[in-house]
Amino acid sequence: MQARLDLKRPEPVAVPKPSQAEALDALRLARSRNVGPSTWVRLVRRFGSPARALEALPDLAGRGGAAGVTVASIGQAEREVEAGAAAGATLLVWGRAGYPAALARIPDPPPVLWVRGDPAALSRPSIAIVGARNASAVGLRMARALAADLGRQCLWTVSGLARGVDGAAHDAALSVADEGGGTVAAVAGCVRDVYPSDHAALAERIAQAGAVVSEAPIGLAPQGRHFPRRNRVIAGLSRAVILIEAAARSGSLITADFALEQGREVLAVPGSPLDPRSEGGNALIRQGATLVRHVDDVIEALEAAASTVLDDPDAATGLPAPQAEAPGLAEPDAPFARSPLSAAPDDAALRARIRDLLGLAPVEEDELARLSGAPLSALADVLLELELAGRLDRRPGGLVALLPE
Amino acid sequence: MQARLDLKRPEPVAVPKPSQAEALDALRLARSRNVGPSTWVRLVRRFGSPARALEALPDLAGRGGAAGVTVASIGQAEREVEAGAAAGATLLVWGRAGYPAALARIPDPPPVLWVRGDPAALSRPSIAIVGARNASAVGLRMARALAADLGRQCLWTVSGLARGVDGAAHDAALSVADEGGGTVAAVAGCVRDVYPSDHAALAERIAQAGAVVSEAPIGLAPQGRHFPRRNRVIAGLSRAVILIEAAARSGSLITADFALEQGREVLAVPGSPLDPRSEGGNALIRQGATLVRHVDDVIEALEAAASTVLDDPDAATGLPAPQAEAPGLAEPDAPFARSPLSAAPDDAALRARIRDLLGLAPVEEDELARLSGAPLSALADVLLELELAGRLDRRPGGLVALLPE
């Protein structure tokens, strides 16, 4: 039995904004020191809402060993909301209506998203097309052909607004808007001042017909370290990532890595081994990525992926099962699912035991639980405290280490 | 545990010619009407030697329904041997010393081979490199680079002496002769008058340093139908076939099909999907062929193949197990392994029953045995008779049908 993807019927998505108060709390928590995306989600799951997490923050960080904790002020959050409104952007909050379900399922989803354009565009069935800035004419032709042909099948294109493959894919997807196509740009800087600036007009067209999205505060200029983080959003919004012309160690390969980590399909267009721009794609194909020649190969890969998860209630979306208990789309201000309290706040002996076990060399959380004799939930609390105090380094694969002081 | 290929140590191969009498018998049988390669092997296995098979031929064909049987004359065989000697060519006979072991194992090995150059070259560890006649500059560079780099690893290149990829691969392999490299050309016509004629000088250089080989009689000009047959020899002499730039439905894809049928590795160099010359290779990669970027990928594939057959006594050669009971390298005039006699020559009822069951639509031999109630060995005899009478069509996968009269 072959599961057919029903691509023609996008689900209707209502997009109520989070309440003003909750939006401010979510932003404050997201902009507080040592609160990265996965910590934000951990805190909200642990305490039930951004507001309660904010209340708990100083104590937690103190127990982790921080002298003082830098919680973002209400004023800072209000200024960000005003700037967003002035830029015509909408704020989406993880776990709240309007936040794209596919992105909510990745291991470290952005707590907040600023969107210029239609937030519902983020929930369209989409495919990421990424590749080299210095793409060849042939690479650009492939990007255009795939984006347009996917659009005609009502599959939107997600990309990163960069020069080269990204720009060609966005533009071609826009060109088939009247046939069902469209596009979303996930940018590394803020959604108001797009980078590169010579793509400002393209970004405007994308915002008119689709969406430009970023987790960055309005006004943030992108720095090098923002681009890899942005790539996890590109993959997270998509059912599959297609790589076109990517050199070894390029950003596009990082996007492919995120896609694998997120359980999304990875596809690549091959090229001559004598062209360095083919290195990334050819290497991925050797590692098991699907070789793509034309749109039919993409559809076939999506159908195959859907048929392998037939027993899964999420099969219809072609998306992997949620990570842990990702919340559904709740109404604003409804409580989030909460973990029970576990480590007594005053269990100093347990804290000391766990801290003594930690060093600069990464160790598995499971191993730490075994060695300390602590229940996993209590261990998680202590690690959260250390994280908020800026003393814990989380690595992929559930590894943790102390940061050098 | 990883099996390492010991490529540096080619086995010493003694190359005694078959006796003059046996060579003549082998040639007569091979040139007789309705005796193709698989029938030649079937007859020699059934009767123990080419001489005995020749004796049995008229009776067998008569029982199969032939009015008369055309057995090649001693004079015709003598003239072929003289022409071969005049061309400086050596005759190898299947099952006899000097015949390359890898080729002996394929389902339909050539009964006889004419070789110009060193017959021992055919027993070298070799890789086939095949591809488009109208290859691009990039394709030709890949062919040259792979052939030369394989040669430096003491892996010889087998190809078909055609223009384009074939010629580039032969030439590059010759260029590293002093580093361990070399090459074998398997041609569709005879080894004396090579095609294309503008590769005559290249063929001469190959014969000097390696070997030019063909199953065709001296003097035969190649026709279209000879090229696919030649491709099975290219694959059969090789541990793996590398495809470089092959359009859909090209001869190179036929070589890849033979390689799969023979249990040899299939590898392909990728290219842009926008270039029709990449179609064949990209399609093969999607079907599971190994994507090749450089010589290391080829070595890795050979090692992986060797490690999967570790339990097999043939693992050291990287070759699949012999088809049925392919004979070892026997001394000239020693009897071949013989099947016991099965169908009594006068069992007319059995013959009639089997013939009645056969029609123009192909049927499996096993099914035929079940329906007729005949033992498999008796059925094989009756089918052999029909084949020699020119009334049987053998298809891949053990299917047989009557030929229209």
Side-chain angles (χ1 to χ4, degrees):
Chain A
M1 179 176 157
Q2 177 80 9
R4 299 290 304 184
L5 290 177
D6 188 355
L7 300 172
K8 301 284 175 187
R9 196 183 57 194
E11 292 162 36
V13 178
V15 192
K17 292 179 184 174
S19 76
Q20 181 74 2
E22 186 170 75
L24 287 172
D25 290 337
L27 277 174
R28 282 184 71 197
L29 187 60
R31 307 308 180 209
S32 292
R33 192 165 170 191
N34 296 328
V35 181
S38 65
T39 314
W40 191 100
V41 171
R42 214 172 267 124
L43 284 165
V44 170
R45 282 220 179 101
R46 178 73 178 74
F47 294 98
S49 73
R52 293 204 195 90
L54 280 170
E55 284 168 24
L57 212 50
D59 273 1
L60 284 170
R63 282 202 296 276
V69 66
T70 316
V71 176
S73 67
I74 297 180
Q76 181 186 339
E78 284 175 341
R79 283 192 296 279
E80 183 168 348
V81 166
E82 281 161 22
T90 305
L91 186 72
L92 300 180
V93 174
W94 181 85
R96 289 298 180 221
Y99 192 100
L103 188 61
R105 286 187 176 90
I106 74 171
D108 51 352
V112 295
L113 288 173
W114 282 110
V115 185
R116 283 188 61 216
D118 181 8
L122 306 182
S123 295
R124 289 270 194 168
S126 298
I127 308 294
I129 297 181
V130 298
R133 288 177 173 74
N134 67 339
S136 69
V138 162
L140 295 175
R141 270 177 60 201
M142 277 302 299
R144 295 196 66 88
L146 283 172
D149 289 342
L150 287 168
R152 294 188 186 101
Q153 308 263 353
C154 297
L155 283 165
W156 282 35
T157 291
V158 177
S159 196
L161 201 69
R163 297 191 181 92
V165 164
D166 289 20
H170 285 306
D171 187 67
L174 286 172
S175 75
V176 293
D178 53 357
E179 296 171 72
T183 192
V184 169
V187 296
C190 75
V191 296
R192 190 188 63 195
D193 319 313
V194 301
Y195 175 88
S197 55
D198 48 336
H199 273 183
L202 175 60
E204 200 53 46
R205 288 164 56 215
I206 296 171
Q208 292 293 326
V212 178
V213 64
S214 174
E215 63 187 310
I218 306 294
L220 184 88
Q223 297 175 347
R225 66 192 160 85
H226 296 142
F227 288 89
R229 306 295 298 152
R230 182 273 313 262
N231 292 348
R232 91 186 191 289
V233 178
I234 292 178
L237 287 168
S238 310
R239 295 175 180 216
V241 172
I242 306 175
L243 199 83
I244 302 178
E245 289 197 354
R249 287 175 298 282
S250 64
S252 303
L253 284 178
I254 295 172
T255 311
D257 281 344
F258 279 122
L260 288 174
E261 185 186 319
Q262 296 167 5
R264 313 292 156 94
E265 296 300 303
V266 177
L267 304 91
V269 174
S272 166
L274 296 177
D275 185 340
R277 289 172 290 204
S278 304
E279 267 184 54
N282 287 347
L284 279 181
I285 292 167
R286 278 181 55 85
Q287 289 157 31
T290 301
L291 184 155
V292 167
R293 301 163 299 178
H294 40 58
V295 70
D296 292 347
D297 291 340
V298 183
I299 303 295
E300 186 186 309
L302 292 176
E303 287 176 352
S307 71
T308 61
V309 287
L310 264 184
D311 296 334
D312 188 306
D314 285 303
T317 66
L319 292 170
Q323 302 281 334
E325 64 289 359
L329 301 181
E331 285 307 299
D333 291 332
F336 287 83
R338 278 170 73 166
S339 319
L341 286 171
S342 42
D346 55 354
D347 191 346
L350 178 66
R351 290 193 165 71
R353 201 155 71 242
I354 291 172
R355 275 186 235 175
D356 287 348
L357 285 168
L358 280 168
L360 297 179
V363 58
E364 284 187 20
E365 273 191 59
D366 289 349
E367 177 73 359
L368 212 52
R370 198 181 62 76
L371 292 171
S372 66
L376 276 175
S377 54
L379 174 64
D381 279 0
V382 175
L383 294 177
L384 190 53
E385 293 163 7
L386 289 169
E387 195 172 2
L388 292 169
R391 298 189 53 196
L392 193 77
D393 185 18
R394 288 191 188 269
R395 307 278 183 86
L399 294 170
V400 288
L402 284 185
L403 284 168
E405 296 202 47
Chain B
M1 180 179 153
Q2 177 79 8
R4 301 289 304 183
L5 289 177
D6 188 356
L7 300 173
K8 302 282 175 187
R9 197 183 56 196
E11 292 162 37
V13 178
V15 193
K17 293 180 184 175
S19 76
Q20 181 74 3
E22 187 171 71
L24 288 172
D25 289 338
L27 277 174
R28 281 185 71 196
L29 188 58
R31 309 306 180 211
S32 290
R33 192 166 171 191
N34 296 329
V35 180
S38 66
T39 313
W40 190 100
V41 171
R42 212 172 269 122
L43 283 165
V44 170
R45 281 219 181 99
R46 178 73 179 74
F47 294 98
S49 73
R52 291 202 197 93
L54 280 170
E55 282 168 24
L57 212 51
D59 272 0
L60 284 170
R63 280 201 297 275
V69 67
T70 318
V71 176
S73 67
I74 297 179
Q76 181 185 342
E78 284 175 339
R79 283 191 296 278
E80 184 169 349
V81 166
E82 281 161 22
T90 305
L91 186 73
L92 299 180
V93 174
W94 181 85
R96 290 298 180 221
Y99 192 99
L103 189 61
R105 287 187 176 89
I106 74 172
D108 50 352
V112 294
L113 288 173
W114 282 110
V115 185
R116 283 188 59 216
D118 180 7
L122 306 182
S123 295
R124 289 268 193 169
S126 298
I127 308 294
I129 298 182
V130 297
R133 289 178 172 73
N134 66 338
S136 69
V138 161
L140 295 176
R141 271 178 59 203
M142 279 301 300
R144 295 196 65 89
L146 283 172
D149 289 343
L150 286 169
R152 294 188 185 99
Q153 308 262 355
C154 298
L155 283 165
W156 282 34
T157 292
V158 177
S159 196
L161 200 68
R163 297 191 181 92
V165 163
D166 289 19
H170 285 305
D171 187 66
L174 286 172
S175 74
V176 294
D178 54 357
E179 296 172 73
T183 193
V184 168
V187 295
C190 76
V191 295
R192 189 187 64 193
D193 318 312
V194 300
Y195 174 88
S197 55
D198 48 338
H199 273 183
L202 176 61
E204 199 54 44
R205 287 165 57 217
I206 296 171
Q208 291 293 325
V212 178
V213 62
S214 174
E215 62 187 310
I218 305 293
L220 184 88
Q223 297 175 348
R225 66 192 160 85
H226 297 142
F227 289 90
R229 304 297 298 154
R230 182 273 313 264
N231 292 347
R232 92 186 191 289
V233 178
I234 293 178
L237 287 168
S238 309
R239 294 174 181 218
V241 171
I242 307 175
L243 199 82
I244 302 178
E245 290 198 352
R249 288 175 298 281
S250 63
S252 303
L253 285 177
I254 295 173
T255 311
D257 281 345
F258 279 121
L260 288 174
E261 185 186 319
Q262 297 167 6
R264 313 291 155 94
E265 296 300 304
V266 176
L267 304 89
V269 174
S272 167
L274 297 177
D275 185 340
R277 288 173 290 204
S278 304
E279 266 184 57
N282 287 348
L284 279 181
I285 292 167
R286 278 180 57 84
Q287 289 157 30
T290 300
L291 185 154
V292 166
R293 301 162 300 177
H294 40 59
V295 68
D296 292 348
D297 291 341
V298 183
I299 303 293
E300 186 187 309
L302 292 176
E303 288 175 353
S307 72
T308 60
V309 286
L310 264 184
D311 295 335
D312 188 305
D314 284 304
T317 66
L319 292 171
Q323 301 284 334
E325 64 290 354
L329 301 180
E331 285 307 300
D333 291 332
F336 288 81
R338 278 171 74 164
S339 320
L341 285 171
S342 40
D346 55 353
D347 191 345
L350 177 66
R351 290 191 164 72
R353 201 154 72 241
I354 292 172
R355 275 186 234 175
D356 286 348
L357 286 167
L358 280 168
L360 296 180
V363 57
E364 284 186 20
E365 273 191 57
D366 288 349
E367 176 73 0
L368 213 51
R370 199 181 62 76
L371 291 172
S372 66
L376 275 174
S377 53
L379 174 64
D381 279 0
V382 174
L383 293 177
L384 190 54
E385 293 163 7
L386 288 169
E387 196 173 359
L388 291 169
R391 297 190 53 195
L392 194 78
D393 185 18
R394 288 192 187 271
R395 307 278 183 86
L399 294 171
V400 288
L402 284 185
L403 284 167
E405 297 202 48

